[in-house]
Amino acid sequence: MLVARVAGAWGDSLCLVRDVSPFGLMAEVPAPPQPGDPVTLELSSAIRVDAVVRWSRGNRFGVAFERQFDLLAALGEQRRRVLRKRDRAVRFARDARARIVTDNAALEARLIDISCKGLCLVPIAGRVASLSPVKVELDGLPMLVGETRWAAAGKVGISLQKPLPCRLLGSWLDRTDGPAGR
């Protein structure tokens, strides 16, 4: 299963890609965009494709790429590049309150962005060391367990021990306000 971020004038959502061709794709989301809507599909930090929604039924929708694009070949090339360079999972900017729990403290924080595999937070007060085990509390999600991968410029990057299930993350994203200031 392929997970992507679909974004348009209405906001963004996590989507599950169900079918792909060189001319477009079919995906599933909780609330699909409308026919005629221009969208951008982000499959990773390296692959973004502009498209137009052609149809929508139930929680599925189909898009036509603005230009013919061999998505499967691009994903194959990306996998080869990942062996040389780490590529980030699709991220969703959200503004939400969070709590970082370490062995020594519990810190209030603000969520910057989230993916199935990790999140970026800004601790409101205090610091979290790199490579420290942490737990993160976000309203509407189960306790997230992971490790800080980096801490710099007042932000903390956390890699999750277990990826968030896509449907759970997608549902949470749809209930959570989008990015502040965007």
Side-chain angles (χ1 to χ4, degrees):
M1 180 177 352
L2 188 58
V3 176
R5 175 179 169 261
V6 60
W10 43 266
D12 66 354
S13 184
L14 180 137
C15 69
L16 304 176
V17 177
R18 296 293 183 192
D19 191 23
V20 176
S21 82
F23 304 100
L25 60 78
M26 176 179 68
E28 182 179 314
V29 293
Q34 297 302 307
D37 285 353
V39 296
T40 299
L41 295 149
E42 181 180 351
L43 291 111
S44 73
S45 59
I47 299 177
R48 288 189 180 98
V49 183
D50 292 325
V52 175
V53 177
R54 293 294 180 215
W55 60 267
S56 175
R57 280 190 294 281
N59 65 344
R60 292 187 179 195
F61 69 100
V63 301
F65 298 142
E66 286 188 357
R67 60 179 170 71
Q68 188 172 342
F69 178 74
D70 191 345
L71 180 59
L72 296 177
L75 289 169
E77 175 58 28
Q78 178 192 11
R79 286 193 175 95
R80 286 188 289 281
R81 276 196 324 258
V82 167
L83 295 176
R84 297 185 300 263
K85 174 186 166 248
R86 188 164 184 214
D87 196 29
R88 288 174 32 144
V90 175
R91 300 209 174 257
F92 295 86
R94 289 296 185 270
D95 182 28
R97 292 176 54 149
R99 185 174 170 94
I100 304 170
V101 181
T102 68
D103 289 338
N104 304 326
L107 306 170
E108 296 301 315
R110 296 299 303 176
L111 178 68
I112 300 292
D113 65 40
I114 188 168
S115 74
C116 289
K117 297 179 181 181
L119 50 153
C120 177
L121 300 162
V122 174
I124 293 171
R127 294 179 53 193
V128 180
S130 293
L131 304 177
S132 300
V134 294
K135 294 179 181 175
V136 177
E137 298 171 0
L138 280 168
D139 284 341
L141 287 176
M143 178 74 74
L144 305 174
V145 178
E147 176 182 75
T148 58
R149 300 304 269 177
W150 56 269
K155 298 178 185 176
V156 177
I158 297 172
S159 176
L160 298 177
Q161 220 173 52
K162 293 182 181 176
L164 273 169
C166 293
R167 290 185 196 275
L168 176 64
L169 177 59
S171 174
W172 183 83
L173 288 166
D174 288 341
R175 294 186 320 267
T176 306
D177 288 337
R182 265 197 177 176

